[in-house]
Every structure is written in C-alpha cells, then in structure tokens.
Amino acid sequence: MQAELERSSSEKLIWFLAPHVELATQQAKVIAAQIPSVQTRLLLGADGVDHWSEQWIWDEILRGIKIVVSTHQMARLSLMVFDEAHHCIADDPASRILRDFYHPRRAANDDQVPAILGLTASPVINSKIGKELETNLQAISRTPKLHREELLRFVYRPSLIKLAYAAPRLDEAKSEMVSRLNLLRMSLDIEQDPYVKLLRSDPLSGDSKPLKKALWGRKTYCQDQLKKLNTRAEIVEKGLGAWAADWYVNACTQKLQHLVSEASTGLRFLDDSEKVYLGQCLSTLVSCLSREALLAIDSTRVTPKFMRLIDFLISQQKHAFTGLLFVQTRAEVAVLSQMLSMHPRIKEFYTVSTFVGASTAQRGNIGELVDVRGQVETLDDLRFGRKNLVVTTSALEEGIDVSACNAVVCFDKPSNLKSLVQRRGRARKAESTFAIMLAEDDDPSIFATWRQLEEMMQQEYMDDMRQLQELESQDESEGGDREFAVEKTGAKLMLSGASSNPAPIFTFNNVDQRAVTAKVTLPICVDASVREASSRSAWITAKAARRDAAFEAYIQLYHAGLISDNLLPIRGFDEAIAEVETKVDKIASLVPVAGQLNPWNLVARQWQGVGDLSSLQCSELSLHRREETVVEMLMLAPGPLPPIPAITLFWDADTIFRATVRTSPGRLIRPAYAKSAAQSTTLLLASVFRKSVAAASTGFAILFVPSEDGDPMQWADRFHGTVRGDGLEPIDVSSLSPSSLGIIRDMKNNGVPHILRGFQERSSDLNGDELERQGIENAEAAPLFEVSRFPKRTDFLHAIPEQNQTARSGPNTTLLRPEDCEIDRLPLAYAVFAATVPAILHHVGVRLVAAHLSNTLLAPVGLTNTELLVTAITASAAREATDYQRQEFLGDSVLKFLTSLMLTSKHLHWHEGLLSLAKDHIVSNASLAKAALAVGLDGFILTTPFTGSKWRPPYISDHLDSPAGKPRQLSTKTLADVVEALIGAAFLEGGFGMVTAMLRIMLPQASWPLVGDSNNTLHSTHHASIIYPPHFSELERLIGYTFTLRSLPLEALTHASYIGSNVSTSYDRLEFLGDVCLDIIIATTSFNHEPAIVTHSLHLIRTAVVNAHFLAFLCLSLSASVPRTNITTGHNNNEILMSEATVPIHAWNFMRHADPNIRRSQQGCLKRYESIKAPILECLQYGSHIPWALLARLDAPKFFSDIIESLIGAIYIDSHGSLAACESFLETLGVMGYLRRLLQGGVALYHPKEKLGQLADSQSVRYEVFAEEGEEKGMGCVVLVGEREVARVGKGVSAMEAETRAAEAAVMVLEGEGTVSGGKRKRKADG
C-alpha cells in the first residue's frame, strides 16, 4: 500500500476490504498506525452507508482520505486489498464485487480499474476452489514453499488432547430462573404490551395485520426480547449450569434497569415505554433470587464440563501463559469470563478478557452483556501480558492478528475442518496445547478423526524434515566449497562459512522443479550499488541458495571497500591515528613540545639585515590617561610591525593608562636621529630599570625616542643625570607633562624611587613627634617633599587583584627632606612610560609571534588578522586579555561541518556508521594534536604568563644566538584546541574558503575540496525525476520548504527498516550531514551574539539546543490541521448529519518504516507527549530553567530527532549548500526562537546533574537506579551525596528520567539548606 500511495496520483484511493466488522476495525487501526502520513477512514454498516445515495455525500466523506477500510460494500481506486481472500468465491460479497463490477470493466478495457491484492493464511485444499480464487482475483497464488525449511524449524505444532467430561445427569440442579422466565413470557397480558397499546391508540390500525400478529402470534418487540433472553439463558444453563443461568438473567436485568434509570440511549430500537415495561417484568422475575448466592460460584450448581475446564486451566498455570478459549455464543463469553475471573482456584493466576464480533445487530439486545468498546485493547493486552486468557467466539478464528498462544481450548466441538485448522493455528508457541472438550458419551470416532488428521500432519512434518536433511546433504556434497582469499592478509571466506542469517531480505526463484536461486537485499543504509547480490549457482534447497547469495554479497562488499583486508567490518581508517588515540587514552595527556617562540630572536636577526638606519620602521606610540596624552614617543624596529591594538595598563587601583601604537610605514628617519636613539632608549629604561640597563648599553632590539622635534642626543643630554633636592622651589605637581619633575630618589635609603606629590612646610601642623618619626631635625629648613613610592610592580597588563587593593583613596604618601634626595632630570612622564615598556613590548612580542605564524606556516592561507591569530594561539594559562576558548568553540563546529561534508561527498557509498567513524578519527584530539606537532605549530602556542619579574630589555646580542625556548609539556587537548581555534580564526576572516586552505596545511592526510564543489557533488547525486508521493506536498507545507530534488524528502523520511520500492537509501547519511549543519548554525549564531557569551555558556547553550530530546519534542510539535468530514446518521438511519472537523498531521507521520516496534514506540511517545506538552511549552517560553526532567520523561526514541536532522541535511543539499535555508527551517521548527531566549540570559543552563556536582563540592555523588515493583511499575533512583541519601524519586519511564528527576530534587534540597552549608564551604575556601 505504501508503494501504491507513492506511485498513484493524488485523486486515487486505496480500498481495503475485510469480510467482517471486527477484522475491518483492527486493520483500519493497524493501517492508520503504520501509514500515518495520510488519512484513513473506516466505513461500516453501522455508519448507514446503504443510505448514502447521493454523490455529494461520498465526495464529502472521501475528501482528504487516501485509504478506506470497509466491509464488503470503483473510479477513484488505485488498489483494492481483499483480506481473508479465500472468501472470494461463490456468492460471497467480495466475489460479487469482483464478478459484477471489476471483471465487466476489465473486459471493456477500462484502464481505470484498480490493482488487486488478496491476502490469506487459510489453507485452500480444494484445487477447484483455488482455481476459482485465482480467476476471481485475476491473480496468481503464491505460497511460501521456498522458505519451507524455515517454517519447519520455527513454527511449532501443538499437542492435540481431548478434555473428557462427565455427561450431564438427569438429576442435575435446574435453574428455576430459566423456567420462570419462560412462564413469565407466556403469561404476560398481551394487551399491556406497549406495542399493542400503541397500535390500539391509532384509530386507523383497527384490525390491521400488525395488530393481529401481535395479538395472535405474540409478535411484539418486548416478547421478542424475552424469547431471545430465554433462549440464551437455556444455552448458558446447558453448558455452564444453573448458577450460571441465574447469574446471567440477573445481570441482564440489572443492565436494563440501569438503562431505564439513566435514561440511556442504549437499545435505541425500543421505546422508553418498552424499556420500562421489560424492566418491570424482569424485576418481578429476579426478586426471588438471593443476591448473596450470586457472589460466589456454587459448585453444586455448575456443570461437570465447567469443572473439567477449571482442572485443565489449573494444570496450565505456568510462567508467561497466554491462551484462547472458544465458545459458541456471546452470552457464554460474558458468563464464562465472569466465572473464570471469580473462581477461587484460578482467579489469582488468570486475568481474563473477552472478544466477540462487532455486529451491530447484537448490540440491540437485552441479553447482550459484552461491551465491544471495552475490547478494543484486548489483543494488545494479550500481546503485552496485561491479560493472559481471552474468552471468544469464532471471531478470533481467522484474520485478526493474535499473539501465539500456549493453549487453545474449544469449549464446544469445532463446526468444521476449516474451523479446527484455524483454531489449532493459534497455538504456535513451543510445547503448546490444542484441547477439545468432549462429553464421555460423545461418538469417539469424532476425536479419532481429528487425531488421525493430526498424525498425518505430524508424519508429513517428519517426512519433510528428513527430506530437508537429505537435500541439504546433497547440496553440500555436490556444491563443493568455494573460497575467496585476500592475498595481502591471507584471510579466507569459505562458501560453507558464509552466513545465511535471515536478517537481510532473501528472495528466491525457481529455475526448474528441483532447483532454486537466491537474491539477497541488504538494508537500505547500504549503498544501492552493492545492496543486492545473487547466488552464482542454482541449488536444491533455499538454504544453500541463500548461503551462496550471502557469499557473493560479502565479496561485493569487500571490493567496494566496506570490508577490511581481514574480511571483517572496518573498525578504523588510519592505523597510526588509532594507535595514538589508544596510547593517549592510556597515558597522561601531556606530551613534550617545542619551547615557546621568542619574538626577539626574530627581531635580532632582522637587525643583521639593516644597512641604512634610515630604513628603520617607525611607529608612533602614545600614552594616555583618560582624555589626556601623557607622553608621545616613536618606536623604531628593524622591520615592519604588525598592527598593534590599544594596550590597557593598570598603573594602580585608581589609575589606568592606555597605550596606542600607530605604524607609520611612510615616515622617513634621519640616520643621525636613528643613531642617537640608542642613547635616548638607555636614558628612558635606566630611569626605572637601573640594575638591568647599563648606562652605556646599546644594541636594543627596539628603540624609543621622543616624538618632539630635535636631536634625540640633545634630548638625552638635556635630561641626563640628577639634581639635588634642596635647591627646588615649591611647584604644582598635579601634572605629569614632560615639564614635570623627575623621579625623587631617597638617597638615605639606597635611592628608592618616589613620585613627588607636593610640598609641606616644616612649620605646618606637624607636631614634634611626627617630625621625629620622619627623621626631620631642623623645622626651619626648606619645605619637605610629600612623596609616594614609585610602583615596584612591573606587570601593568593585569589589574591589581581586589584582595590586594587597600581601602584608601589615593596613594600612600610619606615625607622626605630635600637635602636627602636627588631628582632625575628626566621628567616623570617619561619614567612612567619607561615603567610600562615591559608590558608594551610583551604586547608587541605576542603580535610578532602571530605575524610570524601568518607569514610562515600559514602563508598559503592568507590569514592577515593578527588579533584573530593571537587569540587562537593563546592558552588561558598565559593570562592574556584573550585566549583561544571562544574561537575553539567556533572552530570545532566548523571543522566537524567541513569534515562531514567532505566525507559525505567523497564517499557516496559509505553508510553513516563508516562516515561517523572516519569523522571521529579526523576531528579527534589525538589526530589534531598529532597534526599540530607535525607542522610545528607547538612552538607558536603561548602559555607563559607575563609577570615583568626580573625584566631585561631585549638586546640584539642576547637573541642572535639564543637557543629555542625551553622545552615544555602541553596537553594533547591544548594542541587540538589551538588547531580548532585557528580554524575558527580562518572562518571569521575568510569563511569556508580560507578554512579549507587552513585544513590543507594542518590535515594534509585528507583531501579537502572547496565547499562549493562538495555541494555540487551531493546535489548531482540526487534526482528530481522520481515518483513523488502526492501527500508529501503536505510535508513541504509543514516544514516551509519546497524541494526541487524530490528524492531528498523521501530519503530524509526513510528509516533503515523500510522495505519497499521508490527508495535509494535510508535517512542516516542525511542525518549525519544535518547534524553538523544544525551544529554550525547554532555555534555561529551563539558566537556572534552581542554582548559576547562566555565560552562555558556557549557550550551549555549548544548542548541544550541540539539535545535529542529537545529536537524530538519539536518534531512531535511540528504539525498542521487538515480538514475531515465526520458523518452521523439520525433515527433509523433516515437522516445524514455531517460536521466539519480537523485532524492533526505531524511531520513524523511521513516517516517510512517496516518495524512494528517503531509504531509502538511512536504511539507510546505520543501519549507521553500529550500528557507533558503543556508544562514543557510553558517552561520553554517562560521558565527560568531548561526542562531537563520533563524532556527526559518524554523518553523519545532517537528517530524523532534523527528525521529533524535528516530534513536539515536534505534542505542543505537541495539548496546547493544554503545554511540560510536550513536556518529558516529551524526558525519554523522553533529552534532559533528558543536559542535567542537562551542567549538573552535569565535561563539556568546547567543540567541538574551538573548543578548537583557543583553543590556537592568535593563530596562524591552516586546515583542508584532500581526497578519498582507493584502495579505501577517504573524506574526509581536514589541520590547519595557522600554517604547521605539526599533525594529519592520513583515512577520514572526510564533510568535517565529517574536520574534527572532525582538530581533535580537533590539540588532543591541542597539549595534549600543554602546559607548554612554554603557558608561553611565559603569559609573553608576563604581560610
């Protein structure tokens, strides 16, 4: 039917015909569940179909419907399916449809006649009947004879036994209720019958025929009901005994009284007056009954037949029992099921249910006790063990899918051979029993005949087994034993060792009467070019042919590269990388690497090439405080400097400087100016770093000169040396301009440098004690210097930690006597600048490393943004203003995307498993670390933090012959992270093209095509001209995208279990590609958000948005409403009432599969979804946290999220690689909206288990999951923090949900304890 839907036009229908109501009802339910992407409608006689005589009614009923299931009731049909097709003979309704409508149109060469498919599992013994079936169905019968050996091995034959019971005795207790019921019916005054009264009240009735029939023949509705009730009660009494008949009549009376008291619409064919009349009659009848006597079965008033049944059921009490009990009438079904449920000897073991036909004629009967609405779930209850015994009529003999049973009991003799065979076939479990109940005085030849038939079937089974063994032996002796060998490894595959596992699909073809060939079809996840293989030879048995086909398939897979040289499934692609991965996993994750590159070695070598000093490169360097320029300098280097961003310098807790560097490549330097730069540099640096800078030092790698006009030599001469402090007049020292005083040096204390803050008269408010403390003797001398200590710290790149800052405002000052001081001639502003030179040069040096990386290893890439490179190569240990973590987050997604795209386009026949394995090898930390070491990237990685401690200016002589940096150790993760951060940098500057160039350098072992080439390759492999199912247009409306390559949506919605036509492969490859498309869209959107999101939050947000349960929830929510016309009939089916309604259609409804477990998983998940949809939606829209526990409770199977990702992959390929088109679908789905909400903040991102780990601090957290017992079984979990039980939950649908809820509860407990325990942890940390 799925195939017919996909190839037929949109106006065509499939009509499924079943012989009776209950079978049609079951099949409609199964079809709707298996093909949920189209609407299915069930039409029954109860719908009043016979009265739908107008075409417009049918047009309305069938609007939007693709599959109709009905009992035997044709222009728009594409396929008619006849279930239980063995009925299509003689004057059966199915046969008449074919004979009177189908064959005449076919004979008239009507090309609109539908295809016919007949289904049956019943034996057709008569060859004449078989020929008639083939003629009527215009078909050829096919039986599973080619798979006979499988049937023989796996279909069990039950043991046939006779359950003999004592014949009824004449003195057995009789039901007084049955006798009284018959007397009551005959003794009622016919004139009081409501129907007679109605006829009498009509003046036109007179002596009408209906009145005469009512009076003379007692032909009224009430009399008819009492007669039928009496007949059924007699049947119950005969089979089950007097107690059973009493219970039955009493139960029917109570049911009728309930209908009258509740004014129920039940028994619609009776007027209310007739219901009241019958109720009154029966009430007087049962008034003599003792209700207590009906509460327990009276063993003296039941039949020996019933007691024999009880004895048999007791003998069958064993684990995992399932059974069917066949009776003749619906009344017996109701009574016997009640008796079995209450019998004290078996009620604890057997859970009993009922199943009868759904005939509407039986529902209008006061003797009907079985509610067919309650039996909808009967078969599922039997299948899943909720019920283990079903009492039924012949309704379960054929057609309806029933689980294999341990025991089948015929309470009465089967009516014919067909009934016997069909009932017997229900007992298919190993060591099953088929029991027939017979009275001891029954004709023994009846059972002898059945026993003879059983022995004949057993003998045929044994003969078949012996013949099968002989044929298999002949195949093995005549077929030889072919082999396939791989010369490289010596691995061999023997024909006799080729697996004939029936998991793949094997089809067979008869070559002649004694030979058969086989073809194997592998799962659709295998590429179509190697999916099928045929046996080379013809064989006597299907088993041998199947083995031959499997042998050829294995060889075919080897030649396609899907099997290794060891003739085993491929486990790895790069043995060296696999080895590294293995070793890294087993040893410490630190590896020896090159020392960090010293940029001044590079600068020193550049000086060797400087001939003319006028060729020096000049940069303008300014130091600012707030809006004020403190000093302006020129920085001279032997070669061009990369762009240098502004440098923030933290002078003290209150003062921040900003240094800017602006390169002036066109500015010419006079040779004399350059030659005197060494002296000015010496003067500058010596003012602060006297110990590391000699007065006559030259050969600096970087030179500094003032930007003011004039000769630097004259500038150096002017500001060289010091002056005595006692010759100064008080001046304003609030400015730090070059005209300010220089550093104040306390000569009584080894020249400790100070900054002059002001003057203070000695006759001021200072008292004698203060003067004495300061060491000042002469109060009449020159004013005192009020000074603060010149900073001893040299690391101005990092702010002073808050805990090290004092609570005061302003510098801590002290007083110095001028006569004890010397003052540098060099203005303080230059000294301040000199103090920041180590930080500035470090900042420049980092850019020189990045520029060197750009100009050497990455020269082919063309990556020129130095700041992106600096970020990429800086580890967090370096304590720079930036590090690689955010770019690594982005680069990780870009690398996975390009790797997946490359593999998917390069290996078109690889399934998702191989693609994932190859991708994991390429993007693994071990692989990336190895690549970083191979290309020499390790030396560029910055890990050493700048402190300024023991700083020494970079002298040319020190660095010309300086060895490489000191060897160090780095983690493989750091090496891999830097590679990914560089990829992120390339993506930010030059997109995928620049990243491709980067990958060709970093990972040359793989071929990296341009993204556009990969997109074109993938686009060209899919086809637009295929059979496109018309109903898939609804899917396109759902997702908001129209495909041009029609094969893509089919592939995106095809599960690996699917078996059918019109398929290229399963969705796994598209899901593999869609996964990385989703990841890179989420990563880039999160990375580019303003303000920037910290790295840890980026990871948490991505985890939340690409979470499989979240995607599954959105998949379940992706639906639309389609119109549907509902129809009801009025009184006596004379009035047709139509109403418009809508039914939901979900995206997941379109998934094609052939696994019944998937259907059950879909339905189970849909029920959970409906129950928790509202709280999840509320939490997603307004909640303060991610609904982790609710999403875990959804427990969605993976295929829900898979089809979302496969649709993304399909859209990507169809749109020639447009991530914008994929993002548009994600917008429709709701992913982007929730992502924006998370990026805006205000939502707790941590998973409860992560949060609990934080709260637990150093204590261990342990989850103990257990299965609950009792009626409401589920999963429970206990959370232990340390050795303390913190939380316990139950009724979980899975272990994951139980753990998540338990963690959530534990978090609430620990946070509730809050301030006390939290305070203890805080004090411990502070202490």
Side-chain angles (χ1 to χ4, degrees), residues 1050-1322:
L1050 282 178
E1051 182 179 326
L1053 274 298
T1054 300
H1055 188 266
S1057 66
Y1058 180 71
I1059 303 170
S1061 57
N1062 200 27
V1063 60
S1064 57
T1065 185
S1066 66
Y1067 62 56
D1068 296 308
R1069 280 174 55 89
L1070 288 178
E1071 181 263 329
F1072 172 78
L1073 181 60
D1075 174 73
V1076 291
C1077 291
L1078 170 65
D1079 189 82
I1080 197 170
I1081 290 171
I1082 300 304
T1084 53
T1085 303
S1086 303
F1087 183 90
N1088 293 325
H1089 183 267
E1090 292 293 341
I1093 307 295
V1094 297
T1095 309
H1096 186 59
S1097 294
L1098 287 175
H1099 286 284
L1100 292 174
I1101 290 171
R1102 178 169 62 182
T1103 299
V1105 176
V1106 304
N1107 176 269
H1109 288 307
F1110 174 66
L1111 294 178
F1113 176 79
L1114 296 182
C1115 178
L1116 286 160
S1117 303
L1118 184 60
S1119 64
S1121 296
V1122 294
R1124 183 184 179 101
T1125 300
N1126 291 330
I1127 189 166
T1128 56
T1129 55
H1131 190 65
N1132 293 328
N1133 293 332
N1134 290 327
E1135 184 181 6
I1136 299 174
L1137 305 175
M1138 290 189 179
S1139 60
E1140 291 296 321
T1142 59
V1143 293
I1145 184 167
H1146 302 267
W1148 58 266
N1149 291 154
F1150 293 86
M1151 188 176 79
R1152 307 190 299 174
H1153 65 88
D1155 185 348
N1157 292 321
I1158 289 180
R1159 176 182 64 83
R1160 287 192 287 269
S1161 297
Q1162 287 175 334
Q1163 297 303 317
C1165 187
L1166 186 60
K1167 288 181 181 178
R1168 294 191 295 275
Y1169 167 78
E1170 293 295 346
S1171 67
I1172 60 177
K1173 173 177 65 173
I1176 290 180
L1177 279 175
E1178 183 176 358
C1179 195
L1180 292 177
Q1181 294 172 356
Y1182 310 109
S1184 60
H1185 65 283
I1186 298 169
W1188 291 112
L1190 286 171
L1191 290 173
R1193 186 165 187 79
L1194 184 63
D1195 194 29
K1198 185 175 179 292
F1199 55 73
F1200 282 110
S1201 59
D1202 284 349
I1203 61 177
I1204 291 297
E1205 293 176 336
S1206 65
L1207 281 170
I1208 297 171
I1211 292 172
Y1212 178 83
I1213 294 175
D1214 188 74
S1215 61
H1216 286 278
S1218 171
L1219 289 173
C1222 299
E1223 185 174 339
S1224 178
F1225 167 56
L1226 293 177
E1227 194 71 61
T1228 300
L1229 190 62
V1231 171
M1232 302 309 293
Y1234 191 56
L1235 174 61
R1236 285 191 291 272
R1237 183 162 187 263
L1238 295 182
L1239 292 173
Q1240 289 168 1
V1243 178
L1245 300 174
Y1246 281 104
H1247 190 279
K1249 296 178 78 170
E1250 288 183 283
K1251 184 66 176 176
L1252 180 58
Q1254 291 180 342
L1255 292 173
D1257 201 9
S1258 60
Q1259 298 184 81
S1260 64
V1261 177
R1262 192 165 76 254
Y1263 297 88
E1264 294 182 356
V1265 179
F1266 56 90
E1268 295 178 305
E1269 298 181 353
E1271 293 185 2
E1272 296 186 8
K1273 294 182 179 179
M1275 300 301 295
C1277 182
V1278 174
V1279 176
L1280 298 164
V1281 178
E1283 297 302 320
R1284 169 193 171 200
E1285 180 180 319
V1286 178
R1288 178 185 292 265
V1289 300
K1291 298 181 181 179
V1293 299
S1294 66
M1296 177 188 293
E1297 190 233 346
E1299 288 187 4
T1300 305
R1301 283 176 47 223
E1304 205 170 59
V1307 167
M1308 293 179 65
V1309 170
L1310 294 185
E1311 287 185 335
E1313 295 173 352
T1315 54
V1316 177
S1317 61
K1320 289 180 180 178
R1321 285 196 297 271
K1322 183 68 168 63

Side-chain angles (χ1 to χ4, degrees), residues 574-841:
D574 187 328
E575 294 182 0
I577 292 179
E579 181 182 357
V580 170
E581 286 181 316
T582 303
K583 290 182 178 178
V584 168
D585 288 340
K586 292 181 179 179
I587 63 173
S589 59
L590 294 176
V591 293
V593 300
Q596 182 173 312
L597 176 66
N598 190 324
W600 307 116
N601 293 352
L602 305 174
V603 176
R605 288 193 288 271
Q606 285 181 319
W607 277 103
Q608 289 185 310
V610 175
D612 186 356
L613 293 179
S614 62
S615 64
L616 293 178
Q617 302 294 315
C618 177
S619 300
E620 298 173 0
L621 197 159
S622 302
L623 190 65
H624 308 273
R625 185 177 62 182
R626 300 187 185 93
E627 301 301 322
E628 175 190 3
T629 299
V630 177
V631 70
E632 292 182 334
M633 303 291 293
L634 296 180
M635 184 166 60
L636 306 181
L641 295 179
I644 309 295
I647 311 166
T648 300
L649 301 166
F650 301 92
W651 182 257
D652 55 33
D654 301 314
T655 307
I656 297 177
F657 292 110
R658 186 170 60 91
T660 59
V661 180
R662 186 166 64 90
T663 57
S664 303
R667 182 166 180 172
L668 296 178
I669 303 299
R670 299 192 308 274
Y673 195 87
K675 184 177 293 187
S676 58
Q679 282 71 25
S680 62
T681 302
T682 300
L683 176 62
L684 276 170
L685 298 181
S687 67
V688 178
F689 305 102
R690 287 190 170 187
K691 293 182 179 179
S692 57
V693 178
S697 293
T698 58
F700 296 105
I702 296 291
L703 300 174
F704 297 96
V705 295
S707 61
E708 60 188 40
D709 293 336
D711 186 348
M713 181 69 75
Q714 296 177 357
W715 178 87
D717 289 342
R718 177 156 55 103
F719 294 122
H720 179 72
T722 62
V723 297
R724 286 180 55 82
D726 54 3
L728 292 180
E729 295 293 334
I731 61 171
D732 179 13
V733 295
S734 62
S735 173
L736 282 178
S737 66
S739 60
S740 302
L741 291 176
I743 289 176
I744 307 293
R745 301 186 183 277
D746 182 3
M747 303 311 295
K748 289 185 67 176
N749 193 18
N750 297 321
V752 172
H754 293 81
I755 299 174
L756 180 63
R757 298 297 179 183
F759 297 91
Q760 197 165 33
E761 295 292 336
R762 302 192 193 200
S763 59
S764 65
D765 296 334
L766 293 176
N767 57 37
D769 293 339
E770 177 64 17
L771 290 173
E772 184 176 355
R773 185 183 68 81
Q774 297 280 3
I776 300 171
E777 300 172 354
N778 185 1
E780 301 300 326
L784 302 173
F785 291 158
E786 185 179 3
V787 297
S788 63
R789 180 73 179 267
F790 194 89
K792 291 191 291 185
R793 61 190 296 263
T794 52
D795 176 13
F796 298 109
L797 290 178
H798 304 103
I800 300 174
E802 185 176 349
Q803 62 268 25
N804 294 342
Q805 296 180 14
T806 59
R808 69 191 183 284
S809 176
N812 187 18
T813 61
T814 187
L815 298 175
L816 295 178
R817 297 189 309 178
E819 57 268 28
D820 296 331
C821 299
E822 290 185 355
I823 304 174
D824 287 356
R825 294 180 181 275
L826 182 69
L828 179 63
Y830 290 110
V832 169
F833 168 75
T836 65
V837 165
I840 293 173
L841 288 185

Side-chain angles (χ1 to χ4, degrees), residues 165-170 172-176 178-179 229-249 301-307 327-329 331-332 335-336 339 411-413 437 439 441-442:
Y165 58 90
R169 302 187 310 273
L170 295 177
E172 279 186 355
K174 299 295 182 181
S175 170
E176 183 181 355
V178 174
S179 300
L229 178 61
N230 187 77
T231 301
R232 285 163 173 74
E234 289 175 346
I235 294 173
V236 169
E237 181 182 25
K238 180 180 178 181
L240 298 171
W243 184 91
D246 290 348
W247 183 91
Y248 174 66
V249 175
R301 301 182 68 233
V302 296
T303 61
K305 186 178 184 180
F306 173 75
M307 296 308 297
V327 298
Q328 285 186 331
T329 67
E332 288 175 293
V335 179
L336 187 53
M339 295 175 71
F411 196 69
D412 301 289
K413 295 187 291 290
M437 301 195 73
D441 60 353
D442 276 337

Side-chain angles (χ1 to χ4, degrees), residues 211 653 955:
L211 180 58
Y955 292 106

Side-chain angles (χ1 to χ4, degrees), residues 2-136:
Q2 180 78 55
E4 188 65 33
L5 279 173
E6 294 181 1
R7 67 170 172 259
S8 61
S9 58
S10 59
E11 71 277 3
K12 292 289 187 178
L13 299 176
I14 291 177
W15 206 291
F16 191 106
L17 295 159
H20 49 83
V21 171
E22 53 270 16
L23 183 55
T25 303
Q26 175 184 275
Q27 298 291 35
K29 180 181 177 182
V30 171
I31 291 170
Q34 293 289 358
I35 313 178
S37 57
V38 298
Q39 291 193 63
T40 299
R41 185 182 284 283
L42 173 66
L43 297 180
L44 302 173
D47 297 321
V49 177
D50 293 342
H51 298 273
W52 299 352
S53 57
E54 301 291 336
Q55 183 61 45
W56 68 269
I57 299 176
W58 285 99
D59 290 342
E60 284 297 314
I61 290 299
L62 299 179
R63 179 160 56 94
I65 305 298
K66 291 297 295 180
I67 302 175
V68 177
V69 181
S70 74
T71 50
H72 300 137
Q73 307 284 338
M74 184 174 345
R76 288 177 59 186
L77 305 186
S78 64
L79 173 68
M80 285 201 303
V81 183
F82 289 87
D83 204 5
E84 301 301 323
H86 55 273
H87 289 293
C88 295
I89 57 175
D91 283 334
D92 184 85
S95 179
R96 294 205 308 270
I97 290 173
L98 293 167
R99 182 185 65 206
D100 299 341
F101 298 96
Y102 178 78
H103 288 297
R105 289 179 55 182
R106 184 177 180 85
N109 295 321
D110 188 343
D111 59 358
Q112 294 298 312
V113 294
I116 302 294
L117 174 64
L119 305 173
T120 183
S122 297
V124 179
I125 300 174
N126 190 307
S127 60
K128 182 179 179 181
I129 294 177
K131 188 172 183 180
E132 182 181 358
L133 280 175
E134 290 189 334
T135 301
N136 286 348

